[in-house]
Amino acid sequence: MPPEASFEKIVGHAHAKAVLTAAIGGGRIAHAYLFHGEARIGKFLTALAFVKTALCDRRKSGTSSAFGGSGRPPLTACDQCSSCRAVESGSHPDVHFVRPDGTQIKIGQIRELQNAIAYKPLIGSRKWFLIDDADAMNPEAANSFLKTLEEPPDHSTLILITARPQALLPTVLSRCQAVRFSPPPPDELSPWLQQRRGIGSGEARLLSTLAMGKIGIAAEADAAELKLERDRILAALSKEQLEDLAELFSRPDELADSQEQLYKTLDTIEIWLRDVLIFQHTTEPSLLINRDIPDRISDWGRAVPTDYVLETLTLIHLLKRAAPRNLNHALVLETVLLKLRDAVVRESAPGS
Ligand SMILES: [Zn+2]
């Protein structure tokens, strides 16, 4: 597999790349970063590219061919030196990774990090710690980690990566330099997908919209499967189904059997409601995400008042923000579906 973690190969995230290359170029790398933004849009890959670029032997010695002869210090990894290859394969002795063990990052993992960070780097001048899904730290781990963050050794940089920064302690957030990641728009993602997957522009566009800008999904998923998954979720939003919620609630597992599935369901509903709003307020079908099913969007757009759509979007937003990891998934889904039922079948509701 060719190297993936290079700034120039990562689609989108121009702002993050600019901030990080400026930090490397100016020799002002922070002790702690918070990479936050939706899941699977390239935060981890960008972190890896950052570390790789900072550590690249040929970049540091000014012999990287990518910027050769320009007179400027190169700000890209060479992808060929032993350092680059070691970072890419996860075997660099100065680069450490922390990931949830099961669903949590536990105190033992933080103690290991604290043990490792105390020692000077083995090869370069800095040790790197990439903490993926940092919001998964349990309270004990988070409190212990805070001590490291309060007094990080000079030779260290911690990169916290999360799709749910609101789940981190405010005292953790305030000690990190925040770098925000947003899903790249379809017109940036589509050409990349065409090239990477060898597909036509139409299919690439459909894939990038169905994947909602989530590069990690668009890179691997099958468009037909994504469509099936979306249709399965949207089936729950039909008038017949919303009128018979008891039947749907009797099998919540299909839409909310895990945190991941619940978020997928909520994301799909959010995009759907966004399309309904676009239908109601513009005459521009190219702005629609679910543009392959315009009739269903227009049915909703005509039947459901904008106020209900906005209220439901706010509710989903709040639930996503508030949802701790152990929240009852089925209950969150039920709350949203009840709201949608009020919106769709309100005329027939008694007393309204
Ligand atoms: Zn290199």
Side-chain angles (χ1 to χ4, degrees):
M1 182 136 170
E4 298 282 340
S6 301
F7 284 136
E8 61 268 38
K9 286 182 191 146
I10 292 171
V11 62
H13 309 317
H15 169 71
K17 288 186 236 178
V19 167
L20 299 172
T21 48
I24 294 172
R28 297 182 320 275
I29 294 170
H31 285 302
Y33 289 94
L34 177 78
F35 285 14
H36 66 105
E38 287 174 52
R40 301 198 68 181
I41 60 173
K43 297 186 298 300
F44 182 82
L45 207 56
T46 305
L48 211 54
F50 179 37
V51 174
K52 196 162 84 171
T53 306
L55 288 173
C56 172
D57 292 333
R58 290 170 69 178
R59 182 194 68 78
K60 284 191 285 189
S61 63
T63 55
S64 170
S65 59
F67 279 76
S70 69
R72 287 180 295 149
L75 287 173
T76 188
C78 76
D79 273 337
Q80 287 157 23
C81 71
S82 58
S83 173
C84 280
R85 287 195 310 245
V87 174
E88 188 88 36
S89 66
S91 60
H92 195 292
D94 293 333
V95 183
H96 299 253
F97 300 90
V98 180
R99 295 190 177 88
D101 174 10
T103 58
Q104 291 187 332
I105 294 175
K106 297 169 184 159
I107 183 78
Q109 295 174 272
I110 298 302
R111 292 211 177 105
E112 271 176 38
L113 179 156
Q114 287 163 337
N115 194 29
I117 207 170
Y119 293 96
K120 290 215 163 7
L122 285 167
I123 298 176
S125 56
R126 187 178 291 270
K127 274 187 139 163
W128 300 82
F129 295 82
L130 277 68
I131 304 159
D132 205 6
D133 291 332
D135 54 281
M137 280 187 223
N138 66 24
E140 200 185 7
N143 279 313
S144 177
F145 179 73
L146 187 56
K147 293 190 196 102
T148 300
L149 207 51
E150 279 166 350
E151 290 177 33
D154 273 347
H155 61 249
S156 65
T157 286
L158 300 148
I159 304 176
L160 284 73
I161 300 165
T162 178
R164 305 180 339 113
Q166 69 279 5
L168 288 163
L169 295 172
T171 39
V172 167
L173 297 178
S174 68
R175 285 182 167 79
C176 298
Q177 180 179 334
V179 183
R180 165 120 185 98
F181 288 72
S182 306
D187 60 351
E188 266 184 56
L189 190 48
S190 291
W192 179 81
L193 274 177
Q194 281 183 56
Q195 195 185 22
R196 183 188 165 98
R197 300 190 58 167
I199 54 179
S201 61
E203 194 184 349
R205 177 108 193 149
L206 182 67
L207 250 179
S208 53
T209 48
L210 283 172
M212 303 173 203
K214 293 185 175 170
I215 303 162
I217 292 174
E220 293 160 14
D222 178 63
E225 269 173 34
L226 282 179
K227 236 186 201 176
L228 275 176
E229 168 78 10
R230 177 203 61 186
D231 291 345
R232 194 171 68 80
I233 294 168
L234 291 184
L237 307 188
S238 71
K239 190 159 191 263
E240 298 70 35
Q241 189 68 78
L242 288 170
E243 277 171 339
D244 189 11
L245 279 181
E247 194 272 328
L248 192 65
F249 291 169
S250 69
R251 47 185 177 89
D253 285 359
E254 288 179 21
L255 298 174
D257 68 338
S258 64
Q259 168 111 2
E260 196 189 352
Q261 178 63 57
L262 174 66
Y263 272 69
K264 205 183 277 179
T265 299
L266 293 180
D267 284 348
T268 303
I269 296 175
E270 249 186 311
I271 299 279
W272 173 254
L273 295 174
R274 177 190 162 280
D275 275 353
V276 171
L277 281 181
I278 287 172
F279 172 83
Q280 289 175 336
H281 295 280
T282 76
T283 51
E284 190 43 77
S286 69
L287 294 174
L288 298 174
I289 300 269
N290 299 290
R291 72 188 63 168
D292 57 317
I293 42 173
D295 293 348
R296 288 192 63 185
I297 296 172
S298 58
D299 284 351
W300 266 64
R302 278 189 275 271
V304 181
T306 299
D307 284 355
Y308 282 89
V309 178
L310 289 172
E311 279 170 25
T312 312
L313 280 169
T314 305
L315 175 70
I316 292 173
H317 186 67
L318 288 174
L319 285 169
K320 274 178 156 178
R321 273 183 70 100
R325 282 191 173 250
N326 57 359
L327 197 86
N328 183 328
H329 301 142
L331 195 63
V332 171
L333 180 67
E334 285 182 22
T335 309
V336 172
L337 291 177
L338 280 167
K339 184 84 187 167
L340 282 169
R341 186 194 60 181
D342 289 349
V344 172
V345 298
R346 66 195 183 291
E347 310 98 298
S348 52
S352 66

